[in-house]
Amino acid sequence: MKKKIVFITGAGISAESGISTFRDSDGLWEKYPVQVVASIEGYHRDPELVINFYNERRKQLLDCKPNGAHRLVAELEKMYDVTVVTQNVDNLHEKAGSTNIIHLHGELMKATSSRNPNDPRCIVTLDEDHLEIKMGDKAKDGSQLRPFIVWFGEAVPMIEPAAREVMEADILVIVGTSLNVYPAAGLVNYAKPDAKLFLIDPKPVQAPTLMDIHYIQKGASEGMKELVELLKEQE
Ligand code: APR
């Protein structure tokens, strides 16, 4: 029986792929007011501005490739039962080959209904030939098509399935997240008392748990290499 590893990843795991994080010095939220471009109020106030913000981020994503960290996470599926719980809306875990991914905050390459964003009949996948959403584009329910993103002020429907995965993890690895945003950050609290916790980040991160955590204070690619070695030693 393979041991279960759950990864909780954030923007930092995609930093080496050229995607900016949110709260680092040159982060996205320094350039854009998060309430304006990443909240449900912001969308209602100016849907076209928000739709175009995500059109720009989607275009940038086309040139981005998974980095060594994404690839090592995917390769661990040979040895472990791996679940990736990501806050990222990019598709780099998928491109690296991970097969069991929960997107807590939605997916940049998908669009949905602005009336009922979680209606599965309205969720569509965008591609290089249809990358942009325009005002007037309609979802299947006739409402304005919008990015399939969980904005601030909206529910996080995948948090329960994610918590169930964390509760069963033998090993929990947090990579590239400042653990600033709930409910994602609170997932750490669902870890089993005997689970092994690791955290990979170049900066110190305060995890909301009293459990021991093995910190690997490195970037994601180098940190994942160190993690793989540590896991081999513990086998
Ligand atoms: N490798 C690993 N970690 C890195 C790297 C790197 N090369 N570069 C930066 N980091 C770390 C930073 O030190 C920081 O701890 O990645 C983390 C990024 O934190 P945030 O920018 O806050 O991103 P994240 O935690 O994913 O944000 C969570 O906030 O705005 C919302 O919806 C958005 O999903 C996002 C959520």
Side-chain angles (χ1 to χ4, degrees), residues 9 14 20 45 52 71 73-74 97 107 119 123 127-128 135 143 151 162 169 180 183 189-190 194 197-198 218 229 235:
T9 69
S14 297
S20 24
R45 190 180 312 115
N52 287 332
R71 286 194 294 275
V73 169
E107 297 178 63
D119 179 347
I123 299 169
D127 57 29
E128 293 189 27
M135 290 308 286
S143 67
W151 285 319
N180 260 299
N189 295 307
Y190 287 88
D194 61 345
L197 271 54
F198 297 86
K218 288 180 178 172
E229 288 313 306
E235 278 309 310

Side-chain angles (χ1 to χ4, degrees), residues 10-12 16 21-24 29 87 105 176-178 181 201-202 219-220:
E16 293 161 47
T21 61
F22 295 96
R23 295 174 184 83
D24 282 320
W29 295 156
Q87 299 170 87
H105 296 161
T177 173
S178 61
V181 173
D201 198 300

Side-chain angles (χ1 to χ4, degrees), residues 1-7 76-84 100 165 168-171:
M1 175 87 155
K2 287 183 178 179
K3 278 192 179 171
K4 185 174 182 64
I5 293 191
V6 174
F7 285 89
L76 281 172
E77 290 189 10
K78 292 180 197 126
M79 307 274 292
Y80 295 90
D81 165 14
V82 180
T83 298
V84 177
N100 188 10
E165 292 292 325
E168 290 157 22
D170 301 304
I171 301 163

